[in-house]
Amino acid sequence: MLSIDEHDFTIHKFQLLCEAIVATYPTVTMSEYMNKEHPARFVLMRHDVDRMPGHALETARVEHELGIRATYYFRSIKSVFKPEIMMQIQDMGHEIGYHYETLSEANGDPEKGIELFQSHLEDFNDVCQVKTICMHGRPLSKYDNRDMWKTYDFKDYGIIGEAYLSVGSELNYFSDTGRSWNNKNSLRDFIPNKIEDFTADTTDDLIDLIESCELENLYILAHPERWSLNMVDLGLYCGMDMAVNLVKKVLAAVRT
């Protein structure tokens, strides 16, 4: 029987990924990238905390021990918005941001959506000063939360940038959405108008690409809850990912 260390998307594999990064590239936070406070070669490390915030604390510790500074986007829902965890992660040198989904929460009503956004942002700013935001994809919702900024301007709320809308096409984007790095299972998890030139299926593939030094930069999204701490955790989340991928395929077929 394989041990957990031999599987992909485990905290052990995440450690190997981080070790490959620090051996090859400096890392920057989202706000540093948007303020152009970064070297020519870099890795921009991002985490969307969709659920299980305790896992975010584990990935943050791995990164902190290796000298990686990343950006963590937390949802505003009660099960994820945990100020004590957010402050611990921030104290490690990581950036905390708001993973907003208020247009979906408002059933597509931009006015109600922006009211919810402002209210939630105030809650976040009571914990830490939010500089950047990132939409939550909400695949079961027909609304793209980024569309709220067609009506409003996030800069009016003290935000310097949005993790999809404010990044440049020069970034090489890799997301673990769907339990792969090739973005094939993403409905909304992509940079608009960006054609990806490089892909990776497994984390080992991504590590190989990092170690090749072929790219000037990498923009990596890793969801902390996906990186399992034990075999039970691995089995549960693997099954969840398979179910979600199936639903996404159905939704993609219906919406085309």
Side-chain angles (χ1 to χ4, degrees):
M1 177 180 294
L2 293 176
S3 72
I4 189 170
D5 290 351
E6 297 174 86
H7 288 274
D8 204 348
F9 298 103
T10 63
I11 198 68
H12 173 73
K13 190 68 72 172
F14 182 77
Q15 171 97 25
L16 296 179
L17 173 63
C18 290
E19 288 174 355
I21 290 171
V22 298
T24 318
Y25 294 89
T27 57
V28 299
T29 64
M30 189 65 69
S31 60
E32 287 172 338
Y33 166 78
M34 291 179 180
N35 282 322
K36 302 186 186 306
E37 300 171 353
H38 60 80
R41 291 174 54 82
F42 62 90
V43 167
L44 174 58
M45 196 76 163
R46 172 184 134 211
H47 301 287
D48 292 353
V49 188
D50 293 345
R51 56 187 67 83
M52 301 170 68
H55 278 59
L57 198 55
E58 294 299 324
T59 57
R61 285 171 176 157
V62 169
E63 291 167 330
H64 176 63
E65 289 172 0
L66 291 169
I68 290 175
R69 296 176 63 241
T71 301
Y72 283 77
Y73 291 106
F74 282 75
R75 294 171 71 188
S76 62
I77 60 175
K78 186 176 180 180
S79 62
V80 174
F81 184 79
K82 300 294 184 182
E84 65 280 6
I85 290 178
M86 295 159 66
M87 287 188 289
Q88 286 184 67
I89 292 175
Q90 181 177 247
D91 287 345
M92 295 179 197
H94 302 301
E95 176 186 359
I96 302 297
Y98 172 26
H99 202 30
Y100 68 95
E101 52 192 309
T102 55
L103 190 61
S104 294
E105 291 173 329
N107 293 316
D109 182 342
E111 184 175 355
K112 183 178 179 181
I114 199 64
E115 290 175 357
L116 288 170
F117 177 86
Q118 186 170 4
S119 176
H120 296 329
L121 183 61
E122 289 173 356
D123 292 337
F124 272 81
N125 282 333
D126 285 341
V127 180
C128 52
Q129 188 64 42
V130 173
K131 297 179 181 178
T132 66
I133 57 174
C134 176
M135 73 91 187
H136 177 45
R138 287 282 288 264
L140 297 183
S141 171
K142 64 181 179 180
Y143 301 107
D144 187 328
N145 288 292
R146 289 170 291 200
D147 288 344
M148 190 164 63
W149 309 122
K150 294 178 179 179
T151 305
Y152 301 97
D153 187 346
F154 50 74
K155 292 182 180 178
D156 292 337
Y157 301 90
I159 302 300
I160 64 172
E162 205 276 350
Y164 290 102
L165 300 178
S166 304
V167 298
S169 59
E170 84 282 2
L171 292 180
N172 298 289
Y173 183 55
F174 298 89
S175 167
D176 68 353
T177 297
R179 214 170 189 80
S180 176
W181 297 99
N182 56 33
N183 293 349
K184 291 181 179 179
N185 295 302
S186 300
L187 290 179
R188 299 189 177 108
D189 184 12
F190 56 86
I191 299 174
N193 304 315
K194 167 69 175 176
I195 299 176
E196 299 298 341
D197 298 318
F198 296 87
T199 61
D201 291 323
T202 68
T203 304
D204 286 336
D205 292 337
L206 183 57
I207 289 172
D208 288 342
L209 184 58
I210 291 169
E211 292 178 338
S212 75
C213 300
E214 187 172 357
L215 302 178
E216 287 295 303
N217 62 68
L218 294 95
Y219 175 8
I220 297 175
L221 164 60
H223 295 78
E225 71 269 15
R226 181 159 286 121
W227 299 84
S228 302
L229 308 179
N230 52 60
M231 289 300 292
V232 173
D233 196 21
L234 179 66
L236 288 173
Y237 212 93
C238 185
M240 185 186 300
D241 276 334
M242 291 175 63
V244 170
N245 287 344
L246 179 60
V247 170
K248 286 180 178 180
K249 289 179 181 179
V250 173
L251 290 174
V254 169
R255 293 172 184 174
T256 55

